[in-house]
Amino acid sequence: MEKFTAFESSVALLPTDNIDTDQIIPARFLKTISKVGLGDQLFFDWRYNADGSPKADFPLNQEPAKSAQVLLAGDNFGCGSSREHAPWALTQFGFRAVISTSFADIFKGNSLKNSLLPIAVPRDVHAKLFSTLQSNPLAKVSVDLASQTLTLPDGSTCTFPVDEFSKTCMLEGVDELGFLLKHEAEIAAYEQAHPDGLNTLAVAL
């Protein structure tokens, strides 16, 4: 993964509550183990007509949403079945963050492991942001993971929660295995300093 850096972006609006993972990436596209092409299949049944042509009135088919790095969605985003393809599709489209009032736990965990930042904000901030962007679609927000701060178009700020381990991994650009490998020397030193404990564990197993 690349290091997650602060950025400013326009915002795509999708004001629908309870968007489940089968809408984010329909089950028929889950056969692949590659992320390549999943951006084209994001919200497939909402984005395209039966003949495969883009629906002109769907937000992600319009500017500035087509080039936005932030998605502003309704409440309870990412509910439904567990599938890592959902954050894959979102990041392949170009999104780096999703803003909602709440996220399904499994989706949130999968997102953080794939450098997609789920930003949960209070309902009043959520409503204010929707209103602002509906009036001015070109308005931008700023996202800073290091300070866990979302800056709205009017300059006001809102902090958001994120667990420290996921935050560290995203800022350093490593997954869980990469994080462990960065501490290989310390792990080896600990093993050398505690041989009896390791032998006791091996016998117990």
Side-chain angles (χ1 to χ4, degrees):
M1 296 192 301
E2 294 184 3
K3 293 182 178 180
F4 195 97
T5 56
F7 68 98
E8 181 183 67
S9 173
S10 54
V11 182
L13 303 184
L14 199 57
T16 303
D17 292 340
N18 305 312
I19 295 178
D20 62 51
T21 52
D22 197 49
Q23 298 303 331
I24 297 173
I25 180 72
R28 62 187 180 277
F29 298 121
L30 303 185
K31 297 177 182 179
T32 180
I33 57 173
S34 171
K35 301 177 183 180
V36 177
L38 290 182
D40 295 331
Q41 296 159 357
L42 177 68
F43 297 116
F44 192 91
D45 294 334
W46 292 356
R47 283 173 67 192
Y48 301 102
N49 295 304
D51 63 1
S53 59
K55 294 180 179 180
D57 61 345
F58 188 67
L60 269 62
N61 293 332
Q62 304 170 348
E63 291 292 355
K66 289 169 65 175
S67 56
Q69 297 180 72
V70 177
L71 175 66
L72 178 61
D75 184 50
N76 192 31
F77 187 80
C79 55
S81 61
S82 170
R83 58 188 66 174
E84 200 166 8
H85 291 68
W88 286 2
L90 288 159
T91 56
Q92 286 296 297
F93 184 84
F95 289 124
R96 298 178 62 193
V98 180
I99 302 172
S100 176
T101 50
S102 67
F103 296 90
D105 286 342
I106 295 176
F107 172 82
K108 179 169 64 176
N110 285 336
S111 295
L112 291 169
K113 292 176 182 177
N114 287 279
S115 203
L116 177 68
L117 182 61
I119 300 176
V121 298
R123 291 187 179 276
D124 60 331
V125 173
H126 190 260
K128 175 183 177 181
L129 189 52
F130 257 122
S131 177
T132 298
L133 292 167
Q134 285 173 334
S135 300
N136 181 12
L138 297 178
K140 296 184 177 182
V141 298
S142 296
V143 176
D144 188 339
L145 173 57
S147 63
Q148 298 176 217
T149 301
L150 172 69
T151 303
L152 278 58
D154 65 359
S156 61
T157 60
C158 174
T159 57
F160 54 85
V162 60
D163 78 83
E164 285 300 318
F165 179 70
S166 296
K167 175 180 177 179
T168 298
C169 287
M170 291 178 70
L171 289 174
E172 294 184 2
V174 296
D175 59 16
E176 293 173 342
L177 178 58
F179 178 86
L180 290 174
L181 291 175
K182 290 184 67 173
H183 297 276
E184 190 172 8
E186 294 105 302
I187 294 171
Y190 180 88
E191 290 176 343
Q192 289 181 351
H194 300 80
D196 293 339
L198 294 173
N199 291 334
T200 300
L201 177 60
V203 170
L205 294 174

